[in-house]
Amino acid sequence: MDPFLLLLHSVSAGLSSSELTELKFLCQSRVGKRKLERVQSGLDLFSVLLEQNEMSPENTVLLRELLVSLRRQDLLRRLEDFEAGAAGGAAPEERDLRAAFDIICDNVGKDWRKLARHLRVSDAKIEAIEEKYPRNLAEQVRESLRVWKSSRKDDAAVSHLVRALRACRLNLVADLIEEGQRARALQSESGDPVSLSESWDSDSPASGASR
């Protein structure tokens, strides 16, 4: 079976009846009333969203938003595992971007607004992100990066992120991203797996990057 369909089956099986009811409520603006009435499982709902091109293996934004709303970290981890696998088959530039997103989400913290402004994400969009994920800092950071990537389209590049990070004096985060790029390049050239910890002291925290 297709990996994305396997993921959807897994997520559906993990939903309680009350969680399914909440998902149907959250999708009211996207799915017609009659279709929602026929939904008896998470898979039914996902099938409708797939038919309407609301989600796909390449576009997991809505699925992530729904799982965040449910506060199901276990199901979010399954989605992240899928995305990591998909990244493995992506072009090197896309893999580098996804890896950079992960590093930024793990290390930038409350400085994400400053970074977003350096990436020319508007204040209106920053406010919308804060309203969308009021108590989830990691998702605020990730959503701001998605907004930036969407605005740049094919022009989005890791070098832009690194430049913006350094302008914000988040040099350790920028260094982590560049080390990761070098490690992946070495792995690609040699065919041998290269651990990031081999090229970066794993004891060096990035949490103080803004200091």
Side-chain angles (χ1 to χ4, degrees):
M1 185 182 289
D2 176 88
F4 189 59
L5 294 181
L6 277 174
L7 170 67
L8 296 182
H9 272 277
S10 174
V11 170
S12 177
L15 296 174
S16 66
S17 58
S18 61
E19 287 171 334
L20 176 60
T21 300
E22 185 173 348
L23 289 186
K24 290 167 69 172
F25 175 77
L26 292 170
C27 290
Q28 283 181 334
S29 63
R30 301 173 183 270
V31 180
K33 184 177 179 181
R34 289 185 178 178
K35 286 186 177 181
L36 280 177
E37 288 173 349
R38 291 196 292 269
V39 167
Q40 300 297 318
S41 68
L43 201 57
D44 289 343
L45 179 60
F46 299 147
S47 295
V48 173
L49 294 172
L50 283 169
E51 289 171 5
Q52 297 181 179
N53 294 318
E54 296 280 359
M55 65 170 61
S56 70
E58 296 76 31
N59 179 14
T60 58
V61 173
L62 176 59
L63 180 58
R64 175 178 287 278
E65 291 175 359
L66 294 174
L67 296 180
V68 167
S69 297
L70 294 180
R71 299 182 182 179
R72 288 294 302 272
Q73 295 300 320
D74 56 329
L75 299 181
L76 270 170
R77 282 193 290 273
R78 295 182 198 178
L79 172 58
E80 288 166 359
D81 288 343
F82 166 80
E83 290 174 338
E93 296 81 4
E94 183 67 21
R95 287 202 299 272
D96 284 345
L97 264 181
R98 294 191 189 192
F101 278 20
D102 288 341
I103 291 171
I104 290 171
C105 290
D106 288 343
N107 295 286
V108 165
K110 293 180 180 179
D111 285 321
W112 74 268
R113 298 170 190 80
K114 180 165 61 172
L115 176 62
R117 291 188 180 99
H118 273 280
L119 293 171
R120 298 186 181 178
V121 176
S122 69
D123 285 342
K125 287 185 177 177
I126 290 174
E127 289 177 11
I129 291 168
E130 291 175 322
E131 290 176 8
K132 190 174 185 180
Y133 303 107
R135 287 177 290 275
N136 194 322
L137 182 60
E139 284 303 317
Q140 289 175 355
V141 182
R142 193 173 292 276
E143 182 69 7
S144 70
L145 294 173
R146 285 195 289 256
V147 168
W148 165 76
K149 184 174 184 289
S150 177
S151 69
R152 298 301 296 258
K153 298 181 180 178
D154 294 337
D155 189 39
V158 172
S159 59
H160 299 151
L161 294 174
V162 170
R163 192 157 52 243
L165 286 165
R166 296 203 185 281
C168 295
R169 298 186 179 180
L170 296 168
N171 290 311
L172 286 179
V173 185
D175 290 344
L176 278 172
I177 290 172
E178 291 182 331
E179 284 293 327
Q181 274 189 299
R182 283 195 285 272
R184 282 186 296 279
L186 285 171
Q187 180 179 349
S188 178
E189 289 173 7
S190 67
D192 295 325
V194 176
S195 169
L196 183 58
S197 61
E198 294 175 8
S199 52
W200 181 266
D201 183 357
S202 59
D203 293 328
S204 299
S207 56
S210 60
R211 296 187 181 132

